[in-house]
Amino acid sequence: MTKTKVLIIAYYWPPAGGPGVQRWLKFVKYLPEFGIEPVVYVPSNPSYPIIDETLLAEVSDNITILKQPIKEPYRFAGFLSKSKSKTISKGIIPKEKQQSTIDKLLLFVRGNFFIPDARKSWVKPSFRYLDTYISDYNIDTVITTGPPHSLHLIGLELQKSSGVKWIADFRDPWTTIGYHKQLKLTNYAKQKHKALEKEVLQKANQIIVTSEVTKKEFSNITDKPILVITNGYDRNSVGNPPLDKKFTLAHIGSLLSKRNPEVLWQVLKELIEEHADFAKDLELHFIGSVSADVLESLKLYGLSSYINNHSYVTHNKAIEFQKKSQVLLLIEIDSEETKCIIPGKLFEYMVSNRPILAIGPKDSDIETIIKETNTGSYFNYQDHDAIKRTLLIFYKSYQEGNLKSHAIGLQKYSRKALTESLSKLILWEL
């Protein structure tokens, strides 16, 4: 039986690390089981802020991987300040009052000279290469995934040229993403971003988003069909390590300057002062980049001595931390724009059998999923007393040896089930 061929245009691909690579790595893994042959197109010389060589083992030898070179401006920015350009490429932006002249310059150049983003130079050469490939190899559908959202412009050009079916996948929003306001955009740049976003949303045959909030936002811009396919969890080779003996609270992923839950630090300070056993048992584990602002806040609340900062680890090592920690922390920025953000780690948290303590904006998609699956507790930044009560309940269960989550309805978030939904969209109207 001949399989439907799908060309997937992505920037993040192994050995890139972090959550951005996981989504399409897993889709590509399972698409062949649903009668679809994926062909993956990625840069041959990318500038990834995080590397995880272990993910290469998940790429099947049977998958066709096309690679073409890309001009990476972050390499040139490194001549000004290697550490600052790498930090900004990770999405860690200092508070405005703390930004140096170089910080401001890099942000201004990134926002106004590279629209929609720093990978825009890859659009034209990719179009020229892929336009011929689509014709020569009978590609039925093209899928672009962003960010970087410049990749959607490749899909736009290919659709105009060949009439190929084009699906645009948005892992994050475009003009309403939280950091967009920090790029020091001129009015011209703002309007250019919005015009490109509108053109992509109105020209793509199908649109995929990762959250209901983003679907609602995009529905105000386009009448094209929008399907929500969240991120998810997959089978992994990590067993079930013994639980930490200490009362560990672990956060996996970056803690940005604005992702700084001072309400939690205040609660922990109070519990340490009020309960001698709690002070003896508490440990904080941070796995990933932590901004200087967050570390300073922790110091002000007297929590520095409780911190174990592990920086970035491999994906399997991150899963091990999730499974052995007593409580998993999920922190999102408190803003209207972040209601739609669902970190990929949430789904791996949910199957770790550990309770989640999440803090974020009111009425977020994270809140809906955690409540629906009974995998933890969700709070707003004003919920001081409720957070304190819940931590005491968790701590008592920890002391009694029966702290765990009681998840329900997780199967629909498995990577294979999500890929089945994607396959139906690909095969529809072919």
Side-chain angles (χ1 to χ4, degrees):
M1 180 179 176
T2 303
K3 291 186 175 181
T4 297
K5 288 187 177 182
V6 173
L7 174 65
I8 297 161
I9 302 173
Y11 179 80
Y12 295 101
W13 189 254
V21 70
Q22 297 285 334
R23 181 173 176 83
W24 283 94
L25 176 62
K26 301 300 184 178
F27 282 146
V28 167
K29 174 182 176 180
Y30 289 113
L31 277 172
E33 297 185 28
F34 298 99
I36 295 170
E37 179 184 336
V39 177
V40 180
Y41 174 76
V42 293
S44 59
N45 58 331
S47 179
Y48 294 142
I50 299 172
I51 299 293
D52 185 349
E53 298 280 356
T54 65
L55 294 178
L56 289 167
E58 296 196 43
V59 182
S60 170
D61 292 337
N62 297 322
I63 300 299
T64 300
I65 311 291
L66 309 175
K67 295 185 177 183
Q68 287 290 298
I70 184 174
K71 294 179 181 179
E72 286 280 19
Y74 282 120
R75 290 198 180 96
F76 299 104
F79 289 114
L80 287 173
S81 174
K82 186 174 182 180
S83 62
K84 290 183 183 295
S85 65
K86 191 169 184 178
T87 298
I88 289 173
S89 73
K90 289 181 182 179
I92 300 176
I93 299 175
K95 290 180 179 178
E96 189 163 2
K97 291 181 180 178
Q98 298 172 351
Q99 289 173 8
S100 67
T101 301
I102 291 178
D103 288 326
K104 293 175 181 178
L105 176 62
L106 288 172
L107 288 169
F108 181 84
V109 170
R110 157 66 180 86
N112 295 282
F113 289 83
F114 296 96
I115 301 174
D117 52 60
R119 276 82 193 201
K120 60 176 286 187
S121 66
W122 203 42
V123 175
K124 287 183 179 179
S126 294
F127 163 69
R128 289 193 293 267
Y129 174 78
L130 294 174
D131 193 37
T132 300
Y133 188 91
I134 286 171
S135 175
D136 290 347
Y137 290 90
N138 299 315
I139 298 296
D140 301 296
T141 300
V142 169
I143 301 176
T144 54
T145 178
H149 295 307
S150 56
L151 272 61
H152 297 312
L153 304 186
I154 303 173
L156 180 65
E157 292 303 315
L158 291 172
Q159 185 201 54
K160 288 178 182 177
S161 175
S162 65
V164 69
K165 178 181 174 180
W166 168 38
I167 299 173
D169 172 62
F170 287 83
R171 302 190 313 279
D172 287 322
W174 188 329
T175 59
T176 58
I177 191 72
Y179 64 77
H180 209 70
K181 292 180 179 178
Q182 298 175 270
L183 294 178
K184 305 185 186 304
L185 301 174
T186 63
N187 286 331
Y188 169 80
K190 290 177 185 177
Q191 294 307 312
K192 182 68 172 177
H193 275 287
K194 285 187 176 294
L196 288 172
E197 176 187 52
K198 184 175 181 180
E199 185 175 17
V200 167
L201 289 174
Q202 292 186 343
K203 294 292 178 62
N205 299 97
Q206 301 276 351
I207 298 157
I208 304 172
V209 295
T210 57
S211 77
E212 292 290 343
V213 172
T214 304
K215 178 179 179 179
K216 184 177 180 180
E217 174 196 328
F218 283 177
S219 295
N220 294 323
I221 303 174
T222 182
D223 58 0
K224 290 299 178 70
I226 304 173
L227 179 66
V228 176
I229 303 181
T230 66
N231 290 308
Y233 66 88
D234 197 19
R235 300 188 303 268
N236 61 72
S237 57
V238 179
N240 292 307
L243 289 173
D244 292 334
K245 295 189 182 302
K246 291 275 195 174
F247 184 60
T248 49
L249 276 59
H251 181 274
I252 316 293
S254 299
L255 273 175
L256 312 178
S257 297
K258 291 189 176 181
R259 196 176 288 156
N260 185 11
E262 293 197 38
V263 62
L264 176 60
W265 312 148
Q266 176 66 42
V267 165
L268 291 175
K269 178 178 184 291
E270 292 172 10
L271 291 174
I272 287 168
E273 293 171 347
E274 296 166 7
H275 303 274
D277 286 348
F278 188 92
K280 181 184 66 177
D281 292 330
L282 177 66
E283 275 191 4
L284 298 172
H285 288 271
F286 298 135
I287 297 91
S289 299
V290 182
S291 78
D293 295 317
V294 174
L295 291 174
E296 182 61 27
S297 289
L298 288 158
K299 182 179 179 181
L300 289 172
Y301 286 98
L303 298 173
S304 295
S305 62
Y306 294 90
I307 296 172
N308 291 280
N309 202 335
H310 303 272
S311 191
Y312 181 77
V313 300
T314 65
H315 184 235
N316 279 348
K317 190 68 176 176
I319 292 174
E320 183 181 329
F321 272 109
Q322 290 167 20
K323 289 186 173 184
K324 70 179 185 177
S325 300
Q326 296 291 347
V327 177
L328 298 173
L329 298 177
L330 196 155
I331 312 297
E332 193 45 80
I333 298 169
D334 187 20
S335 71
E336 190 70 25
E337 293 87 355
T338 54
K339 288 182 178 181
C340 65
I341 302 299
I342 308 175
K345 63 174 172 267
L346 170 61
F347 303 97
E348 292 179 339
Y349 274 19
M350 293 189 320
V351 293
S352 67
N353 205 34
R354 309 313 307 147
I356 300 168
L357 192 154
I359 302 175
K362 185 177 174 59
D363 300 325
S364 73
D365 281 307
I366 296 173
E367 180 177 11
T368 301
I369 292 173
I370 288 177
K371 289 182 177 178
E372 170 194 280
T373 56
N374 195 43
T375 46
S377 301
Y378 185 92
F379 304 97
N380 304 134
Y381 277 72
Q382 300 75 34
D383 294 337
H384 172 280
D385 292 348
I387 294 171
K388 192 171 183 178
R389 284 194 302 271
T390 298
L391 271 174
L392 280 173
I393 292 170
F394 285 168
Y395 182 61
K396 183 178 180 181
S397 295
Y398 152 79
Q399 289 181 307
E400 295 170 350
N402 57 15
L403 178 60
K404 61 181 179 179
S405 66
H406 301 276
I408 57 174
L410 297 183
Q411 178 55 35
K412 68 178 182 178
Y413 295 111
S414 74
R415 293 287 189 181
K416 187 170 182 178
L418 294 166
T419 305
E420 183 176 12
S421 296
L422 173 64
S423 69
K424 291 176 180 177
L425 182 66
I426 292 170
L427 296 172
W428 184 55
E429 287 189 347
L430 280 181

